Structures are given as structure tokens and as C-alpha cells.
Amino acid sequence: MLLISFIRTINQAEQQVVEEYAQTWVRQLAQVHGLWIARFRPEQLEINLYQRDALSGEQKPLEVIRLAMSKAGWPKVASNQQCQDLWRDIVGAELSGQGNDVTAAYKNQQCHYEFLGVAILIYDPQQGLMTKEWL
């Protein structure tokens, strides 16, 4: 019983991490899109996003990033490496999980971020959507 309870707790913690990443992604992507509109829809967007520090609760600036933008105003991607780079730029952290392996793959013109055994987050650069599939 104790082992089953421990495994459930770990799984819930991993799901929470994925959920927080997804929320951060959506929030930051909305900022990117808004700045793209405010700056008159450029092909390249240079921005400095902010992220809330988990310990202090303060907003801290992330490094300046440069994004190639689509005509619809969403960051473009065309390779596994660009998916990894976009994750780092948008989330403000390297792609990693809570003890699980995490991979980024460019499939069907989308970025698939798989938290092995937990979930897959899928970014569609044509529509700027992030969807989540629980495994």
C-alpha cells in the first residue's frame, strides 16, 4: 500500500510539473503574439520575456530572444533543434522533467515535447496552440 501511494504521489508531482510548463508556455506565447502585433507584425521579433521566480515570486527578466515569426504571428519551427530552442526561449529553462526523460521532436510541422510516461505537449506553430495529451 505504501509503495502504491508513493508511486501515485510521484505521478501527481510529474503531472503538476507538466501542467505548470503548459501554463507558462501559453502565458509567454500570448505575450509574444501581443508584442508581434504591437510591433507591426515583423518577420523577426526580438523580445525580453519575464518569468515569475518560484522561490521569491518576483518577476525576473529572461535573456533577450530572437524569434522568426509566421505571417499569423507565431514562432516558426522546422526541426528538432528549433523545437528545443523554442522551449528554452519561451519557458526560460532547458527542456527537462521531474526525474523523467523529456524529448523534443519536430513531427507533422509541430513540436512534440514528450515527458516520457506522463504526457506530450504539442505546439502547433500555424495556429499558436499548445495541446496536452496525458499518457
Side-chain angles (χ1 to χ4, degrees), residues 91-107:
V91 175
E94 293 298 324
L95 186 60
S96 64
Q98 191 80 359
N100 274 348
D101 289 328
V102 184
T103 60
Y106 181 70
K107 301 177 191 174

Side-chain angles (χ1 to χ4, degrees), residues 13-32:
E14 291 170 342
Q15 288 178 353
Q16 182 63 35
V17 167
V18 170
E19 190 65 43
E20 288 175 17
Y21 277 143
Q23 289 174 8
T24 298
W25 181 281
V26 169
R27 217 175 19 256
Q28 298 289 63
L29 197 60
Q31 255 189 310
V32 167

Side-chain angles (χ1 to χ4, degrees), residues 11-12 14-20 22 115 117-121 131-135:
N11 192 33
Q12 289 172 346
E14 291 170 342
Q15 288 178 353
Q16 182 63 35
V17 167
V18 170
E19 190 65 43
E20 288 175 17
F115 295 75
V118 180
I120 300 173
L121 299 177
T131 57
K132 179 177 32 194
E133 296 176 7
W134 296 107
L135 300 177

Side-chain angles (χ1 to χ4, degrees), residues 1-125:
M1 284 295 241
L2 187 57
L3 181 60
I4 291 171
S5 177
F6 180 70
I7 290 170
R8 280 191 193 137
T9 301
I10 290 173
N11 192 33
Q12 289 172 346
E14 291 170 342
Q15 288 178 353
Q16 182 63 35
V17 167
V18 170
E19 190 65 43
E20 288 175 17
Y21 277 143
Q23 289 174 8
T24 298
W25 181 281
V26 169
R27 217 175 19 256
Q28 298 289 63
L29 197 60
Q31 255 189 310
V32 167
H33 188 69
L35 288 169
W36 176 79
I37 291 170
R39 294 184 183 166
F40 306 105
R41 297 168 167 80
E43 289 181 17
Q44 296 283 323
L45 185 62
E46 186 173 299
I47 57 175
N48 190 346
L49 295 174
Y50 289 82
Q51 183 176 5
R52 185 173 303 280
D53 184 275
L55 298 175
S56 68
E58 295 178 29
Q59 292 280 34
K60 65 177 186 173
L62 301 174
E63 290 189 29
V64 174
I65 58 174
R66 287 169 193 77
L67 300 170
M69 303 297 287
S70 70
K71 291 187 185 299
W74 306 109
K76 291 197 265 186
V77 291
S79 70
N80 292 345
Q81 186 61 52
Q82 288 180 351
C83 287
Q84 285 182 333
D85 293 346
L86 184 60
W87 179 275
R88 184 193 60 241
D89 291 344
I90 296 294
V91 175
E94 293 298 324
L95 186 60
S96 64
Q98 191 80 359
N100 274 348
D101 289 328
V102 184
T103 60
Y106 181 70
K107 301 177 191 174
N108 303 322
Q109 299 180 331
Q110 300 173 327
C111 289
H112 291 241
Y113 302 103
E114 184 172 356
F115 295 75
L116 299 180
V118 180
I120 300 173
L121 299 177
I122 301 170
Y123 167 61
D124 180 350

